[in-house]
Amino acid sequence: GENVEQHPSTLSVQEGDSAVIKCTYSDSASNYFPWYKQELGKRPQLIIDIRSNVGEKKDQRIAVTLNKTAKHFSLHITETQPEDSAVYFCAASEEAAGNKLTFGGGTRVLVKP
Amino acid sequence: DAGITQSPRHKVTETGTPVTLRCHQTENHRYMYWYRQDPGHGLRLIHYSYGVKDTDKGEVSDGYSVSRSKTEDFLLTLESATSSQTSVYFCAISDLAPPYEQYFGPGTRLTVT
């Protein structure tokens, strides 16, 4: 089955700096890579996703890159703000096989004012 | 938030007792999923459903069963709860057609004493 590794497990950045979270996956059949943000006590919320036919996707201050050859993808948050503090999860799935997500272990991001 | 509710939101039960968690959606999405979330493990898939009466196992299905008799409801049953099943349980839904995103319910915190 699929295995997703996520690093780092914790990340502390100064407000205004950039944050980068990296994930690797094992199953070459995976073709959908979402990122979720989870605030304390809340449900995971989808913030951005990318499919294997695209190398990069951007939405305002967040961007995701995908390297299919190396089987890794990354989340980039620029100009971080205190409200970006949360736990972020990467995930991978094969859409045609039920879109069952395999999640990374999560990254706790703390943005210091 | 997508129209997903979970009940109960919190439950404390004793070892050996049966427990049923309910997920209800108003989006008419075909796919429904049950995940559990534990510290250091991210979210792990327990079971999923790809239609009424159509279900399949996920990564951590031992000790759990599911049923889906209507499109809108997906039930997760712990036949005989154990302390290792203390966790936060999230339901998610996804449509068959693009864009395939999974939307999560608010979660159920289950404690088995």
Side-chain angles (χ1 to χ4, degrees):
Chain A
E2 175 67 280
N3 183 52
V4 177
E5 300 282 342
Q6 182 172 347
H7 299 280
S9 57
T10 59
L11 181 60
S12 182
V13 298
Q14 208 65 39
E15 183 178 357
D17 288 349
S18 295
V20 180
I21 304 170
K22 298 183 178 182
C23 290
T24 60
Y25 63 100
S26 61
D27 189 349
S28 56
S30 291
N31 57 6
Y32 176 62
F33 307 93
W35 287 87
Y36 286 85
K37 175 184 179 181
Q38 187 178 31
E39 297 175 349
L40 190 62
K42 300 292 181 65
R43 74 188 78 189
Q45 298 265 22
L46 179 72
I47 55 172
I48 195 167
D49 58 13
I50 192 167
R51 288 175 171 82
S52 58
N53 59 344
V54 175
E56 184 174 357
K57 185 177 179 180
K58 201 170 183 179
D59 183 4
Q60 298 182 1
R61 295 187 296 108
I62 59 174
V64 59
T65 59
L66 171 65
N67 184 326
K68 285 191 297 182
T69 303
K71 294 197 186 72
H72 68 69
F73 55 114
S74 300
L75 178 72
H76 304 253
I77 306 173
T78 59
E79 301 172 20
T80 53
Q81 300 168 6
E83 53 264 38
D84 294 328
S85 295
V87 179
Y88 292 80
F89 293 96
C90 63
S93 75
E94 182 183 357
E95 284 184 319
N99 201 21
K100 298 165 288 182
L101 295 176
T102 300
F103 283 84
T107 297
R108 184 174 301 277
V109 174
L110 175 63
V111 180
K112 296 179 287 185
Chain B
D1 292 329
I4 315 169
T5 57
Q6 292 184 232
S7 58
R9 295 293 315 280
H10 302 271
K11 186 171 182 66
V12 179
T13 191
E14 293 185 349
T15 299
T17 59
V19 177
T20 295
L21 309 182
R22 179 181 184 238
C23 177
H24 179 77
Q25 61 146 329
T26 57
E27 305 294 324
N28 201 36
H29 283 359
R30 177 171 172 178
Y31 286 86
M32 298 185 76
Y33 311 81
W34 277 108
Y35 294 89
R36 60 178 289 174
Q37 184 173 34
D38 305 290
H41 288 279
L43 293 99
R44 293 179 291 175
L45 182 66
I46 306 171
H47 281 279
Y48 71 103
S49 169
Y50 44 97
V52 173
K53 293 185 170 36
D54 292 323
T55 65
D56 205 350
K57 296 179 180 180
E59 179 187 358
V60 290
S61 59
D62 287 349
Y64 302 94
S65 62
V66 290
S67 66
R68 191 165 177 204
S69 58
K70 296 184 291 186
T71 298
E72 57 266 35
D73 289 326
F74 192 32
L75 304 180
L76 176 71
T77 298
L78 291 65
E79 301 290 347
S80 178
T82 67
S83 58
S84 65
Q85 292 176 314
T86 292
S87 187
V88 179
Y89 292 86
F90 285 99
C91 173
I93 63 173
S94 174
D95 210 350
L96 180 62
Y100 299 113
E101 288 97 337
Q102 284 191 27
Y103 299 98
F104 283 80
T108 294
R109 183 173 295 278
L110 177 67
T111 303
V112 183
T113 61

